[in-house]
Amino acid sequence: MKLILLGAPGAGKGTVAKLLTEIDGSVQISTGDILRGAVQVGSELGKQADAFMKVGDLVPDELIMGIMETRLQEPDCDKGFLLDGFPRTIPQAEALKVLLDKIGIDLDMAVNIDVPRDVILDRLTTRRTCSNGDCQAIYNVKSNPPRQEGVCDKCGSPVIQREDETAEAISHRLETYNEKTAPLIGFYEKEALLITVTATSSDAVITAIKEKLEQ
Ligand code: AMP
Protein backbone atom coordinates (compact mmCIF):
# COMPACT_ATOMS: atom_id res chain seq x y z
CA MET A 1 0.00 0.00 0.00
CA LYS A 2 1.06 3.57 -0.63
CA LEU A 3 -0.28 5.82 2.09
CA ILE A 4 0.23 9.21 3.61
CA LEU A 5 -0.49 9.35 7.34
CA LEU A 6 -1.67 12.78 8.40
CA GLY A 7 -2.39 13.92 11.94
CA ALA A 8 -1.03 16.09 14.72
CA PRO A 9 2.09 15.06 16.63
CA GLY A 10 0.93 12.35 19.03
CA ALA A 11 -2.00 11.25 16.85
CA GLY A 12 -0.40 7.82 16.52
CA LYS A 13 0.98 7.98 12.96
CA GLY A 14 4.15 6.09 13.88
CA THR A 15 2.32 3.34 15.77
CA VAL A 16 -0.20 2.89 12.94
CA ALA A 17 2.61 2.85 10.35
CA LYS A 18 4.51 0.13 12.27
CA LEU A 19 1.38 -2.04 12.46
CA LEU A 20 0.68 -1.54 8.74
CA THR A 21 4.20 -2.62 7.76
CA GLU A 22 3.37 -6.05 9.18
CA ILE A 23 0.44 -6.48 6.78
CA ASP A 24 2.17 -6.42 3.41
CA GLY A 25 5.80 -5.44 3.91
CA SER A 26 5.28 -1.77 3.00
CA VAL A 27 8.06 0.34 4.53
CA GLN A 28 7.52 3.05 7.12
CA ILE A 29 9.22 6.29 6.13
CA SER A 30 9.34 8.76 9.01
CA THR A 31 11.08 12.02 8.18
CA GLY A 32 11.28 12.70 11.95
CA ASP A 33 13.19 9.41 12.49
CA ILE A 34 15.50 10.14 9.54
CA LEU A 35 16.25 13.63 10.88
CA ARG A 36 16.80 12.46 14.48
CA GLY A 37 19.18 9.77 13.14
CA ALA A 38 21.07 12.47 11.19
CA VAL A 39 21.31 14.71 14.27
CA GLN A 40 22.64 11.81 16.32
CA VAL A 41 25.44 10.95 13.88
CA GLY A 42 26.21 14.66 13.36
CA SER A 43 25.88 14.60 9.56
CA GLU A 44 25.55 17.79 7.53
CA LEU A 45 21.78 17.20 7.30
CA GLY A 46 21.61 16.74 11.09
CA LYS A 47 23.56 19.95 11.70
CA GLN A 48 21.18 21.89 9.48
CA ALA A 49 18.04 20.38 11.01
CA ASP A 50 18.95 20.37 14.72
CA ALA A 51 18.05 23.94 15.73
CA PHE A 52 14.65 23.81 13.98
CA MET A 53 13.76 20.49 15.60
CA LYS A 54 14.72 21.44 19.15
CA VAL A 55 12.17 24.24 19.30
CA GLY A 56 9.47 22.41 17.36
CA ASP A 57 9.81 24.36 14.10
CA LEU A 58 9.64 22.65 10.73
CA VAL A 59 12.87 21.93 8.88
CA PRO A 60 13.00 23.81 5.52
CA ASP A 61 11.07 22.17 2.67
CA GLU A 62 14.17 21.94 0.42
CA LEU A 63 16.01 19.77 2.95
CA ILE A 64 13.00 17.48 3.35
CA MET A 65 12.43 17.15 -0.40
CA GLY A 66 16.13 16.33 -0.86
CA ILE A 67 15.74 13.42 1.58
CA MET A 68 12.45 12.18 0.12
CA GLU A 69 13.44 12.30 -3.55
CA THR A 70 16.17 9.81 -2.79
CA ARG A 71 14.28 7.74 -0.23
CA LEU A 72 11.17 7.14 -2.35
CA GLN A 73 13.28 5.75 -5.19
CA GLU A 74 15.06 3.15 -3.06
CA PRO A 75 14.17 -0.45 -3.98
CA ASP A 76 12.39 -1.30 -0.69
CA CYS A 77 9.68 1.21 -1.64
CA ASP A 78 8.56 -1.08 -4.48
CA LYS A 79 6.43 -3.06 -1.99
CA GLY A 80 4.71 0.11 -0.82
CA PHE A 81 5.36 2.87 1.72
CA LEU A 82 3.71 4.57 4.67
CA LEU A 83 4.65 8.21 4.87
CA ASP A 84 4.75 9.19 8.53
CA GLY A 85 5.24 12.92 9.13
CA PHE A 86 5.63 13.84 5.47
CA PRO A 87 4.36 15.92 3.74
CA ARG A 88 3.98 18.58 6.40
CA THR A 89 3.40 21.72 4.31
CA ILE A 90 1.48 22.53 1.13
CA PRO A 91 4.75 23.08 -0.83
CA GLN A 92 5.93 19.61 0.28
CA ALA A 93 2.60 18.09 -0.83
CA GLU A 94 2.87 19.82 -4.20
CA ALA A 95 6.49 18.73 -4.65
CA LEU A 96 5.53 15.15 -3.67
CA LYS A 97 2.81 15.14 -6.30
CA VAL A 98 5.28 16.19 -8.99
CA LEU A 99 7.83 13.62 -7.78
CA LEU A 100 5.31 10.74 -7.74
CA ASP A 101 4.09 11.69 -11.23
CA LYS A 102 7.69 11.67 -12.42
CA ILE A 103 8.45 8.23 -11.00
CA GLY A 104 5.04 6.84 -11.99
CA ILE A 105 3.55 6.07 -8.58
CA ASP A 106 -0.11 6.49 -7.54
CA LEU A 107 -1.02 6.98 -3.89
CA ASP A 108 -3.83 4.84 -2.43
CA MET A 109 -4.95 7.44 0.07
CA ALA A 110 -4.07 10.05 2.68
CA VAL A 111 -5.34 9.03 6.12
CA ASN A 112 -6.13 11.85 8.51
CA ILE A 113 -5.92 10.44 12.05
CA ASP A 114 -8.08 12.75 14.12
CA VAL A 115 -7.49 12.61 17.88
CA PRO A 116 -8.80 15.07 20.52
CA ARG A 117 -6.28 17.65 21.75
CA ASP A 118 -6.41 16.53 25.41
CA VAL A 119 -5.47 12.98 24.38
CA ILE A 120 -2.63 14.31 22.20
CA LEU A 121 -1.22 16.45 25.03
CA ASP A 122 -1.35 13.57 27.48
CA ARG A 123 0.33 11.21 25.00
CA LEU A 124 3.14 13.60 24.10
CA THR A 125 4.05 14.42 27.69
CA THR A 126 4.13 10.73 28.65
CA ARG A 127 5.84 9.47 25.47
CA ARG A 128 9.40 8.17 25.71
CA THR A 129 11.67 7.22 22.79
CA CYS A 130 14.67 4.92 22.44
CA SER A 131 17.76 7.13 22.11
CA ASN A 132 19.40 4.79 19.57
CA GLY A 133 18.94 6.50 16.18
CA ASP A 134 18.65 3.13 14.43
CA CYS A 135 15.88 1.94 16.78
CA GLN A 136 13.78 4.88 18.01
CA ALA A 137 11.20 2.51 19.55
CA ILE A 138 8.32 4.39 21.17
CA TYR A 139 7.11 3.83 24.74
CA ASN A 140 4.62 5.49 27.05
CA VAL A 141 5.23 5.75 30.78
CA LYS A 142 1.55 5.08 31.50
CA SER A 143 0.28 2.72 28.81
CA ASN A 144 3.37 1.01 27.39
CA PRO A 145 6.47 1.33 29.61
CA PRO A 146 9.67 -0.58 28.77
CA ARG A 147 10.05 -3.81 30.80
CA GLN A 148 13.02 -2.31 32.65
CA GLU A 149 12.56 1.38 33.44
CA GLY A 150 14.58 3.62 31.11
CA VAL A 151 15.93 0.73 28.99
CA CYS A 152 14.73 -0.15 25.48
CA ASP A 153 13.19 -3.66 25.24
CA LYS A 154 14.39 -3.99 21.65
CA CYS A 155 18.01 -2.82 21.74
CA GLY A 156 18.93 -2.09 25.38
CA SER A 157 19.74 1.62 24.77
CA PRO A 158 18.50 4.32 27.15
CA VAL A 159 14.88 5.37 26.69
CA ILE A 160 14.55 9.16 26.95
CA GLN A 161 12.12 12.04 26.70
CA ARG A 162 12.71 13.78 23.36
CA GLU A 163 14.10 17.31 23.53
CA ASP A 164 11.09 18.55 21.57
CA GLU A 165 8.68 16.95 24.04
CA THR A 166 8.96 19.61 26.74
CA ALA A 167 5.69 21.48 27.43
CA GLU A 168 6.94 24.54 25.53
CA ALA A 169 8.14 22.67 22.43
CA ILE A 170 4.97 20.54 22.36
CA SER A 171 2.75 23.59 22.38
CA HIS A 172 4.83 25.11 19.55
CA ARG A 173 4.66 21.88 17.51
CA LEU A 174 0.88 21.81 17.84
CA GLU A 175 0.64 25.46 16.70
CA THR A 176 2.92 24.64 13.77
CA TYR A 177 0.71 21.67 12.92
CA ASN A 178 -2.45 23.81 12.90
CA GLU A 179 -0.87 26.52 10.81
CA LYS A 180 1.27 24.56 8.32
CA THR A 181 0.10 20.94 8.22
CA ALA A 182 -3.66 20.97 8.86
CA PRO A 183 -4.23 22.65 5.43
CA LEU A 184 -3.10 19.35 3.85
CA ILE A 185 -6.46 17.87 4.85
CA GLY A 186 -8.15 20.19 2.30
CA PHE A 187 -5.38 19.52 -0.23
CA TYR A 188 -5.92 15.74 -0.18
CA GLU A 189 -9.69 16.14 -0.06
CA LYS A 190 -9.46 18.02 -3.37
CA GLU A 191 -7.24 15.25 -4.73
CA ALA A 192 -10.01 12.77 -3.73
CA LEU A 193 -7.48 10.82 -1.64
CA LEU A 194 -8.55 11.74 1.88
CA ILE A 195 -10.10 9.55 4.53
CA THR A 196 -10.53 10.84 8.08
CA VAL A 197 -10.56 8.38 10.96
CA THR A 198 -11.63 9.71 14.33
CA ALA A 199 -10.23 7.16 16.74
CA THR A 200 -7.87 7.00 19.67
CA SER A 201 -7.00 3.33 19.21
CA SER A 202 -4.49 2.30 16.53
CA ASP A 203 -6.43 -0.91 15.91
CA ALA A 204 -9.54 1.10 14.97
CA VAL A 205 -7.45 3.17 12.54
CA ILE A 206 -6.00 0.01 10.96
CA THR A 207 -9.49 -1.49 10.58
CA ALA A 208 -10.77 1.66 8.84
CA ILE A 209 -7.77 1.69 6.47
CA LYS A 210 -8.18 -2.01 5.60
CA GLU A 211 -11.91 -1.52 4.92
CA LYS A 212 -11.19 1.41 2.61
CA LEU A 213 -8.46 -0.47 0.74
CA GLU A 214 -10.80 -3.41 0.18
CA GLN A 215 -13.54 -1.23 -1.34
P1 AMP B 1 8.14 13.99 14.12
O1 AMP B 1 8.93 12.90 14.73
O2 AMP B 1 7.44 13.60 12.86
O3 AMP B 1 7.22 14.67 15.11
O4 AMP B 1 9.21 15.12 13.66
C1 AMP B 1 10.05 15.73 14.60
C2 AMP B 1 10.56 17.04 14.03
O5 AMP B 1 11.28 16.80 12.81
C3 AMP B 1 9.48 18.05 13.64
O6 AMP B 1 9.02 18.82 14.75
C4 AMP B 1 10.22 18.89 12.61
O7 AMP B 1 11.15 19.76 13.24
C5 AMP B 1 11.04 17.84 11.87
N1 AMP B 1 10.31 17.26 10.71
C6 AMP B 1 9.90 15.96 10.56
N2 AMP B 1 9.28 15.79 9.39
C7 AMP B 1 9.28 16.99 8.78
C8 AMP B 1 8.77 17.48 7.54
N3 AMP B 1 8.12 16.66 6.67
N4 AMP B 1 8.93 18.79 7.24
C9 AMP B 1 9.60 19.61 8.07
N5 AMP B 1 10.10 19.25 9.27
C10 AMP B 1 9.94 17.93 9.63
Side-chain angles (χ1 to χ4, degrees):
M1 59 193 117
K2 298 184 172 79
L3 302 188
I4 292 175
L5 297 169
L6 292 174
K13 301 183 295 293
T15 307
V16 167
K18 283 196 177 68
L19 292 169
L20 289 171
T21 59
E22 288 160 19
I23 296 177
D24 69 352
S26 299
V27 285
Q28 175 189 11
I29 304 180
S30 155
T31 38
D33 283 354
I34 295 172
L35 292 167
R36 276 184 293 279
V39 170
Q40 200 180 50
V41 298
S43 69
E44 194 48 43
L45 170 68
K47 284 184 197 144
Q48 292 184 55
D50 194 24
F52 295 101
M53 294 175 75
K54 270 191 184 134
V55 293
D57 272 337
L58 292 182
V59 170
D61 291 334
E62 307 75 61
L63 278 185
I64 299 291
M65 289 318 300
I67 300 171
M68 290 308 290
E69 280 214 42
T70 312
R71 183 67 188 91
L72 282 169
Q73 296 184 72
E74 284 171 8
D76 61 346
C77 289
D78 289 350
K79 278 193 178 168
F81 49 76
L82 309 155
L83 302 184
D84 160 12
F86 169 83
R88 221 93 152 205
T89 62
I90 294 282
Q92 288 180 21
E94 283 167 346
L96 174 65
K97 190 175 173 197
V98 172
L99 173 63
L100 293 177
D101 277 350
K102 189 175 89 181
I103 58 183
I105 289 176
D106 288 329
L107 289 170
D108 295 313
M109 62 180 131
V111 184
N112 173 30
I113 308 174
D114 185 22
V115 175
R117 191 183 160 93
D118 56 332
V119 177
I120 296 256
L121 282 174
D122 185 55
R123 275 190 193 163
L124 289 176
T125 46
T126 53
R127 179 154 83 177
R128 299 291 181 272
T129 306
C130 173
S131 58
N132 170 359
D134 292 329
C135 177
Q136 301 196 38
I138 304 279
Y139 298 92
N140 184 288
V141 287
K142 286 191 199 161
S143 59
N144 175 32
R147 282 193 294 272
Q148 187 185 339
E149 196 186 327
V151 180
C152 180
D153 294 348
K154 296 196 175 119
C155 74
S157 303
V159 168
I160 53 157
Q161 182 160 28
R162 273 166 47 176
E163 239 177 317
D164 64 354
E165 283 175 354
T166 59
E168 202 183 345
I170 288 171
S171 129
H172 189 56
R173 282 165 69 202
L174 292 175
E175 273 167 33
T176 306
Y177 171 79
N178 287 333
E179 187 191 328
K180 306 257 175 63
T181 309
L184 296 185
I185 296 169
F187 180 94
Y188 287 109
E189 201 162 24
K190 275 201 203 119
E191 297 280 314
L193 286 171
L194 188 78
I195 69 159
T196 291
V197 188
T198 305
T200 49
S201 107
S202 316
D203 288 341
V205 179
I206 303 283
T207 304
I209 293 172
K210 276 189 186 159
E211 276 172 7
K212 187 76 186 171
L213 285 171
E214 279 160 14
Q215 273 172 20

